[in-house]
Amino acid sequence: MAHSVRRIFAALVLLGAAVAVLASLGAWQLRRADERRAIAVSIEAGRAQPPLVLTPETRPDALTAWRPAQATGQWLNQYSVLLDNRNQDGKPGYWLATPLLLDAASHRAVLVLRGWLPRSLSAPSSSSASPMSPAPQLPDTPAGVQSVIGELSVRVPRLFELWSLGGASQGQLPGTLPAADGRVPQVQNLELPAYAQATGLSLLPAVLMQTRGADTLVRDWPQPSVDYNQNRGYALQWFSFAAIAAVAWLVLAWRALRRRRGRQFDDSQNP
């Protein structure tokens, strides 16, 4: 009998833990749904704003994510950087980032993500090559004053960065640009403060993701997942599992209590 009591107690503990874990997973999915809904609202609000003309005097508070924007200036091709391991439709490749000079006197510029280009068969990956390995064939950069149209981002979208056994990040940005050997750096991620220090430019605190252009670059930029209804569906599933576990706990507890009362009644009838 003692063994049976221990088994029932263990089952009740496990079912209670299952209820707590499953309910917490459902609550987590609801929080994820709220986060994705907030992102969807932010994207919609940004794209609903009037197009912003970027100038050296543009205020930081006007540089909201997803807002349409236009910049006029000259490409500084010598400061171009390739962002490695950016896939497009399952194909490996790079994002090409080049600053656009807005004002020569103040060195004021905006970093432009110009588009995606595929990795050439002869270009080694950053996992096996140095950050200054030979770059693929880049598109021609037009000379003179250019007008660039796109959407704003508060930073260069990050990619999960693999770390080498020695502790240094793969594809590290050189301390000074342009590189002494003239090669185009290949990096995993690009932070604006480090890039501004390497180039000596005064950058706007935002990135312009180009959406139009006459070259062959692909400009199908990734967008965060905003399907919050999917998370709500997952939450419903987890709460359903928690309810099933709770019902099982109640049934088991009721049966155990009924059995105990039955034994107590038998004991009272047979002193």
Side-chain angles (χ1 to χ4, degrees), residues 82-214:
L82 287 169
L83 297 169
D84 201 355
N85 293 326
R86 308 291 172 145
N87 293 345
Q88 183 72 36
D89 296 330
K91 299 177 182 178
Y94 308 88
W95 287 351
L96 175 60
T98 305
L100 188 72
L101 184 64
L102 304 176
D103 180 66
S106 62
H107 300 284
R108 194 64 163 166
V110 60
L111 182 62
V112 180
L113 292 180
R114 297 175 57 186
W116 177 88
L117 68 159
R119 182 193 299 278
S120 63
L121 296 178
S122 60
S125 65
S126 63
S127 61
S128 60
S130 71
M132 299 302 292
S133 58
Q137 183 66 38
L138 301 182
D140 294 333
T141 301
V145 177
Q146 305 294 321
S147 181
V148 180
I149 296 175
E151 287 184 340
L152 292 174
S153 175
V154 295
R155 60 181 175 273
V156 178
R158 290 186 59 82
L159 179 75
F160 176 74
E161 189 168 7
L162 299 177
W163 298 90
S164 67
L165 295 178
S169 61
Q170 298 285 347
Q172 189 174 2
L173 184 71
T176 303
L177 291 177
D181 57 7
R183 296 180 180 178
V184 179
Q186 299 177 23
V187 301
Q188 293 278 357
N189 293 300
L190 186 62
E191 303 293 341
L192 288 180
Y195 182 74
Q197 183 175 2
T199 58
L201 297 172
S202 175
L203 294 174
L204 292 180
V207 176
L208 183 62
M209 299 185 295
Q210 188 176 358
T211 54
R212 301 181 192 175

Side-chain angles (χ1 to χ4, degrees), residues 6-26:
R6 286 196 296 268
R7 285 195 305 173
I8 292 174
F9 178 77
L12 289 174
V13 170
L14 290 176
L15 285 172
V19 170
V21 171
L22 294 170
S24 65
L25 288 173

Side-chain angles (χ1 to χ4, degrees), residues 195-271:
Y195 182 74
Q197 183 175 2
T199 58
L201 297 172
S202 175
L203 294 174
L204 292 180
V207 176
L208 183 62
M209 299 185 295
Q210 188 176 358
T211 54
R212 301 181 192 175
D215 50 47
T216 58
L217 292 171
V218 178
R219 296 182 174 90
D220 184 14
W221 301 109
Q223 180 174 301
S225 176
V226 294
D227 187 7
Y228 55 86
N229 286 322
Q230 183 182 52
N231 294 96
R232 287 179 172 178
Y234 290 152
L236 180 61
Q237 291 180 4
W238 289 122
F239 286 137
S240 298
F241 295 150
I244 293 173
V247 170
W249 189 96
L250 291 174
V251 170
L252 184 60
W254 177 75
R255 288 181 177 177
L257 181 61
R258 184 180 178 184
R259 186 180 305 174
R260 180 180 178 185
R261 288 180 176 177
R263 286 198 300 266
Q264 290 176 347
F265 179 77
D266 292 339
D267 294 340
S268 64
Q269 296 297 318
N270 300 288

